[in-house]
Amino acid sequence: MNTNIFSQSVKNLAESETLKMAQLARNLREQGIEVIDLSLGEPDFDTPEDIKNMAKKALDEGHTKYTPVNGIPLLRQAIVDKLKRDNGIEYNINNIVVSNGAKQAIANVCLTFLNPGDEVIIFAPYWVSYISIVKFSNGTPIIVDSTIENDFKVIPEELEKAITDKTKLVLFSSPGNPTGSVYTKSELKGLVDVLIKYPDIYIISDEIYEYISFDYDHVSIASFPEIKDRVILINGMSKGFSMTGWRLGYMAADIEIAKACTKIQGQSTSNANSIAQYASVYALNHGKYPEMSNIFKERRDIFVKLMKEIPNIKVNIPQAAFFLLPDFSYYFGKTNGKITIKDDVHLSELFLSEIHIATVSGSAFGSKECVRFSYATSIEQLTQAVVKIKNWLMEFH
Ligand code: PLP
């Protein structure tokens, strides 16, 4: 058919780089080629057994109907309790909206706030979907860069430089994807000191990787009382509980924002899955499953150590999540006689076609010197991958 008749909104949407790489890796596998897949954005663990049992119980008890659009009160209460217990922040259940994943929660907020021409400041490297969500909400993404030397964290001066009278939202994740970077309390304070001067700017704080954090305690920017009313805190079950397929996320915010997001959700998807909601009550009351983050930490340590042995790349130490974003720019323009590496996109394609390792180019995340590796896979696979990369890159001069 003639796809020209499709809306401008859908034409403006980019294809997801991560999904594209996953598809290319599948194509190779179908040809019988063994691929080490380091492109994945989800934990490689099953959902804990006790959470699954709670879902079975919810089914048996007949929790199979529509729920309130913003989530069952029991779950919203469990979220309020979690935010108090883990983050020291006071909310009540009317501040909470439960959605079909954190992604929908972020989309609800952007649709609530943005008119054409409104600017959203996004910290780079960023999660791929932020840009698309802002664009289809009619907003204009304004990117603020960071450096690997500063662990990919934006400094307050750079944030302030990006603010204009069109800025409506600031959107960032800590812990971050694709960086695994965590803003410390004092780094957040630096950002708060800037934002306090601009009372019309709201902040979307994506904290979905909170429970996969190794080195510091997680601090939410919403825990600063001077700015709390302007923070929309986003979190969910996908990463910390290994529940990506259950589609359960939430936000906590000023009651008027919560009402507006509920209105949008009520006219699009209605409530999140009822079974997932009941299972999430149990999971949130249970809290962190440290067995998972301990395994990620062990992998992080080994993977970083091995990667640092590859000559001429820059590697920082991520403090959370399951991603590493090394800088390969030294190799751009280098040749092995047959191939010249053009840039990060080309390098990521070559990793797949030449040595059968699936990664995602840094450009997909606004970081064109880098390639993103996910270590949500076994230590054996990670070790094999690094050996292959090292041997292959040694050919380039
Ligand atoms: N935020 C970040 C930073 C992510 O990396 C992801 C998933 O990759 C999400 C949000 C989406 O989470 P959910 O599965 O709850 O929609």
Side-chain angles (χ1 to χ4, degrees):
M1 75 168 280
N2 176 8
T3 55
N4 267 338
I5 66 164
F6 288 170
S7 71
Q8 203 49 50
S9 306
V10 81
K11 286 185 202 151
N12 288 348
L13 283 183
E15 188 191 357
S16 158
E17 268 306 307
T18 40
L19 298 183
K20 193 175 100 191
M21 282 315 282
Q23 184 57 46
L24 287 175
R26 259 197 304 278
N27 294 349
L28 282 181
R29 278 203 200 94
E30 277 162 17
Q31 297 166 33
I33 296 169
E34 216 180 291
V35 174
I36 302 180
D37 195 348
L38 307 184
S39 72
L40 294 179
E42 62 184 338
D44 53 325
F45 305 113
D46 195 4
T47 303
E49 212 51 41
D50 46 352
I51 301 177
K52 291 203 285 187
N53 286 338
M54 284 299 157
K56 291 176 194 161
K57 186 161 170 275
L59 265 177
D60 290 342
E61 289 174 355
H63 293 302
T64 56
K65 307 288 191 207
Y66 290 133
T67 74
V69 170
N70 54 354
I72 55 173
L74 205 60
L75 176 55
R76 284 183 289 133
Q77 187 58 53
I79 293 165
V80 167
D81 295 344
K82 179 255 173 254
L83 293 169
K84 174 86 182 118
R85 180 191 71 218
D86 293 347
N87 312 102
I89 318 172
E90 301 270 1
Y91 290 103
N92 72 56
I93 66 167
N94 299 323
N95 297 117
I96 310 296
V97 182
V98 175
S99 298
N100 296 273
K103 190 184 240 176
Q104 187 185 23
I106 298 167
N108 285 340
V109 179
C110 289
L111 289 167
T112 292
F113 275 88
L114 299 176
N115 287 316
D118 288 342
E119 294 180 353
V120 180
I121 293 178
I122 297 176
F123 294 1
Y126 44 74
W127 179 43
V128 263
S129 295
Y130 291 159
I131 304 290
S132 300
I133 294 173
V134 167
K135 283 188 179 165
F136 81 61
S137 307
N138 286 317
T140 306
I142 303 292
I143 307 305
V144 178
D145 284 321
S146 58
T147 61
I148 193 168
E149 287 75 18
N150 195 37
D151 276 332
F152 297 110
K153 289 186 261 191
V154 164
I155 54 170
E157 293 73 19
E158 296 296 322
L159 166 63
E160 187 147 28
K161 266 197 251 164
I163 293 175
T164 70
D165 53 9
K166 295 197 187 122
T167 309
K168 254 210 172 142
L169 294 169
V170 173
L171 168 52
F172 76 108
S173 59
S174 175
N177 171 10
T179 59
S181 298
V182 176
Y183 283 80
T184 62
K185 191 169 183 179
S186 69
E187 286 161 348
L188 288 173
K189 175 80 173 101
L191 302 177
V192 169
D193 287 345
V194 172
L195 293 165
I196 200 81
K197 296 188 250 168
Y198 303 90
D200 295 329
I201 297 179
Y202 283 72
I203 301 103
I204 306 180
S205 173
D206 179 353
E207 304 177 20
I208 190 91
Y209 291 96
E210 173 184 13
Y211 279 176
I212 309 177
S213 179
F214 320 127
D215 302 328
Y216 321 127
D217 287 338
H218 171 76
V219 179
S220 169
I221 195 164
S223 66
F224 290 83
E226 59 272 43
I227 208 170
K228 181 199 164 198
D229 289 349
R230 290 197 277 133
V231 176
I232 299 114
L233 186 159
I234 306 281
N235 208 329
M237 312 305 290
S238 285
K239 314 292 176 171
F241 297 98
S242 202
M243 289 172 68
T244 45
W246 298 60
R247 309 310 303 129
L248 205 298
Y250 59 86
M251 60 157 242
D254 176 274
I255 187 159
E256 294 304 328
I257 301 173
K259 276 195 216 157
C261 289
T262 305
K263 198 155 90 176
I264 287 170
Q265 189 168 301
Q267 299 297 6
S268 50
T269 61
S270 293
N271 60 273
N273 177 290
S274 59
I275 313 299
Q277 289 193 53
Y278 280 90
S280 298
V281 172
Y282 168 83
L284 286 168
N285 288 334
H286 175 288
K288 187 172 179 174
Y289 285 73
E291 339 37 306
M292 289 198 256
S293 55
N294 289 344
I295 292 173
F296 280 128
K297 181 177 188 304
E298 190 190 348
R299 290 174 184 171
R300 189 265 324 244
D301 291 343
I302 291 172
F303 195 40
V304 167
K305 182 170 168 286
L306 292 170
M307 283 297 243
K308 282 192 163 177
E309 287 166 14
I310 299 178
N312 301 314
I313 69 170
K314 288 189 220 164
V315 182
N316 75 319
I317 303 178
Q319 302 94 34
F322 38 78
F323 305 110
L324 190 65
L325 193 69
D327 178 324
F328 285 91
S329 55
Y330 169 87
Y331 289 96
F332 302 165
K334 300 277 189 293
T335 180
N336 65 355
K338 281 189 309 212
I339 306 166
T340 303
I341 301 172
K342 287 197 226 107
D343 54 22
D344 62 308
V345 177
H346 190 213
L347 181 60
S348 173
E349 286 165 6
L350 290 170
F351 281 153
L352 187 61
S353 60
E354 300 295 309
I355 50 176
H356 309 139
I357 297 169
T359 57
V360 187
S361 69
S363 287
F365 311 94
S367 177
K368 57 186 178 10
E369 289 80 30
C370 301
V371 173
R372 188 192 77 169
F373 295 81
S374 157
Y375 50 89
T377 190
S378 67
I379 288 174
E380 196 191 349
Q381 294 257 292
L382 293 169
T383 311
Q384 271 181 31
V386 181
V387 170
K388 281 182 160 194
I389 293 169
K390 189 173 171 186
N391 290 342
W392 183 72
L393 281 178
M394 299 282 256
E395 299 170 10
F396 287 82
H397 300 285

